[in-house]
């Protein structure tokens, strides 16, 4: 565990889980004390950077750190993958945002994480365990090389069902099949929490619906201000319109209109493509041959 010596948003630890997924442990004692499972932060990695929402994947009040697990999918996350090294600082972190996950009094729960969703479901699995529940973890990855945090989950789960798409570790299949296996082994499951890509959460909600098991999902619509003002993160829950940043991000999976969410997530594809292309081009231009004079550097986190 990293030890914190100052109060800036310095990156005190980094681990790369694959060529696209990396973990940052960031010094922020107040955030670490205030954070609750299910909440998120809005991060700016440098002064001219985009503000992006990221789930608080873990927090340690004693060490004064919060943990972020990031998938490099577009311009900002790829830039962070390049620049956010140990010792650098993030420019700003706002939060904790969102309503903490309602952990309730369920005696037996299934916590499901698909791919990157494995990280944000961890604080919930630990929270349920601390509240005395029997916790079954279901974790899904495309293949064994992408597995991370298995040990962390084994430490807080009574049972762990590992799934890989190609069968290279654990059971072959998707997490929704892992959920069905847990349901067939345990008739008394009271709640399922599923976090991951929208299609995965939809599949889990579809799997539990016939059994009438309460199923909570964490939605990731495009967010701008994170304060309920801009309307960017509008989601349809049953016959109601909600704003994920202030009303969520956790919602009843049986009520979520996933088709609407998927359409809204695709709205800025062209702009995102252009931004990434420009960033890649910029990186290519700044790749300096050995011995050449460095004129400028990539925009980087302060510090
Ligand atoms: C509550 C919440 C928690 C999240 N937690 C995590 C996390 O822990 N780790 C992680 O890697 N990602 C997380 N995301 C998604 C992350 O915010 C996006 O991947 C990131 O903003 C993409 O920015 P980009 O410039 O790299 O890519 P872009 O090319 O700009 O976008 C790639 C895709 O990311 C999504 N996206 C883009 N901008 C936003 C935005 N402002 N808000 C939300 N989604 C956006 C869209 O689906 C888009 O198609 C979370 C999103 C939300 C809403
Ligand atoms: S991000 Fe603007 S209303 Fe939620």
């Amino acid at each position: 565990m990293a030890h914190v010596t100052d109060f800036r948003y310095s990156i005190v630890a980094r681990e790369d889980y694959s060529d696209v997924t990396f973990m940052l442990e960031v010094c922020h004692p107040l955030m670490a004390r205030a954070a609750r499972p299910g909440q998120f932060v809005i991060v700016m990695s440098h002064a001219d950077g985009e503000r992006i929402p990221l789930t608080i994947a873990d927090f340690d009040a004693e060490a004064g750190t919060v943990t972020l697990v990031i998938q490099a999918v577009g311009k900002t996350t790829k830039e962070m993958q390049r620049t956010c090294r140990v010792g650098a600082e993030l420019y700003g972190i706002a939060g904790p945002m969102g309503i903490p996950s309602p952990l309730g009094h369920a005696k037996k729960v299934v916590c499901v994480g698909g791919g990157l969703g494995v990280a944000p479901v961890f604080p919930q699995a630990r929270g349920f365990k601390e509240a005395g529940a029997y916790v079954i973890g279901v974790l899904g990855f495309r293949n064994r090389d992408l597995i991370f945090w298995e040990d962390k989950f084994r430490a807080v789960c009574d049972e762990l069902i590992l799934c890989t798409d190609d069968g290279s570790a654990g059971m072959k299949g998707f997490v929704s099949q892992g959920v069905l296996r847990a349901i067939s082994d345990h008739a008394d499951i009271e709640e399922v929490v599923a976090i991951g890509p929208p299609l995965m959460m939809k599949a889990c909600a579809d799997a539990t619906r016939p059994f009438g098991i309460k199923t909570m999902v964490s939605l990731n619509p495009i967010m701008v201000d994170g304060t309920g003002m801009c309307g960017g993160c509008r989601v349809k829950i049953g016959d109601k319109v909600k704003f994920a940043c202030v009303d969520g991000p956790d919602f009843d999976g049986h009520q979520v209109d996933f088709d609407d969410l998927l359409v809204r997530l695709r709205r800025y594809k062209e702009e995102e493509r252009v931004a990434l292309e420009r960033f890649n081009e910029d990186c290519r231009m700044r790749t300096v041959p050995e011995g050449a004079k460095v004129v400028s550097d990539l925009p980087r986190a302060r510090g």
Side-chain angles (χ1 to χ4, degrees):
M1 183 179 58
H3 289 280
V4 172
T5 52
D6 60 39
F7 287 81
R8 297 167 302 153
Y9 310 139
S10 17
I11 296 165
V12 294
R14 169 171 171 154
E15 198 175 334
D16 286 64
Y17 298 136
S18 73
D19 55 353
V20 289
T21 309
F22 59 104
M23 178 282 285
L24 301 178
E25 208 176 308
V26 182
C27 171
H28 198 322
L30 286 177
M31 188 83 71
R33 278 212 298 275
R36 296 289 172 269
Q39 291 190 295
F40 65 95
V41 288
I42 291 197
V43 171
M44 273 176 87
S45 65
H46 60 87
D48 302 317
E50 187 190 13
R51 303 163 78 251
I52 63 162
L54 296 170
T55 305
I56 303 171
D58 203 358
F59 47 92
D60 184 334
E62 209 178 301
T65 58
V66 292
T67 300
L68 309 172
V69 178
I70 304 166
Q71 197 160 34
V73 291
K75 191 245 168 193
T76 299
T77 46
K78 280 182 190 285
E79 187 178 50
M80 288 178 75
Q81 189 184 27
R82 283 177 70 109
T83 60
C84 292
R85 302 274 159 199
V86 173
E89 289 173 34
L90 297 178
Y91 179 73
I93 310 185
M97 292 182 165
I99 300 175
S101 304
L103 293 178
H105 303 288
K107 290 193 182 61
K108 193 173 276 187
V109 298
V110 181
C111 291
V112 192
L116 190 74
V118 164
V121 88
F122 174 74
Q124 304 206 35
R126 183 175 56 192
F128 276 118
K129 188 69 202 161
E130 284 168 358
Y134 185 94
V135 181
I136 304 164
V138 177
L139 308 183
F141 300 91
R142 283 207 312 278
N143 60 58
R144 66 177 307 130
D145 296 335
L146 301 177
I147 295 173
F148 65 91
W149 284 17
E150 183 182 346
D151 291 349
K152 270 173 89 103
F153 274 87
R154 288 208 185 275
V156 299
C157 291
D158 296 280
E159 283 178 45
L160 189 66
I161 301 174
L162 196 60
C163 312
T164 47
D165 295 4
D166 64 357
S168 52
M171 71 175 259
K172 184 175 188 316
F174 298 136
V175 285
S176 48
Q177 291 161 270
V179 170
L180 287 173
R181 177 186 284 188
I183 293 173
S184 78
D185 289 349
H186 300 266
D188 53 349
I189 290 168
E190 290 174 46
E191 185 169 340
V192 171
V193 177
I195 306 184
L199 284 175
M200 179 226 106
M201 294 190 285
K202 182 177 191 297
C204 290
D206 289 343
T208 58
R209 190 175 280 111
F211 301 93
I213 300 171
K214 178 182 172 190
T215 300
M216 298 301 288
V217 296
S218 177
L219 301 187
N220 61 338
I222 289 181
M223 290 186 180
V224 183
D225 62 335
T227 65
M229 307 278 281
C230 72
C233 66
R234 200 189 74 188
V235 288
K236 285 194 201 158
I237 312 294
D239 58 359
K240 294 198 172 60
V241 167
K242 300 275 184 187
F243 298 105
C245 66
V246 286
D247 299 322
D250 291 358
F251 294 100
D252 177 351
H254 295 152
Q255 298 287 320
V256 172
D257 184 337
F258 284 102
D259 295 335
D260 180 69
L261 176 66
L262 286 163
V263 169
R264 288 179 69 83
L265 279 171
R266 285 195 287 264
R267 268 173 86 183
Y268 300 103
K269 276 282 167 234
E270 183 53 21
E271 288 83 353
E272 289 158 5
R273 190 191 60 74
V274 170
L276 182 58
E277 212 168 85
R278 281 206 194 114
F279 173 70
N280 285 338
E281 185 57 22
D282 197 36
C283 290
R284 266 195 298 277
M285 302 278 282
R286 286 165 200 265
T287 306
V288 184
E290 214 174 316
K293 186 169 177 259
V294 178
V295 176
S296 63
D297 205 349
L298 272 173
R300 60 176 67 237
R302 285 189 301 151

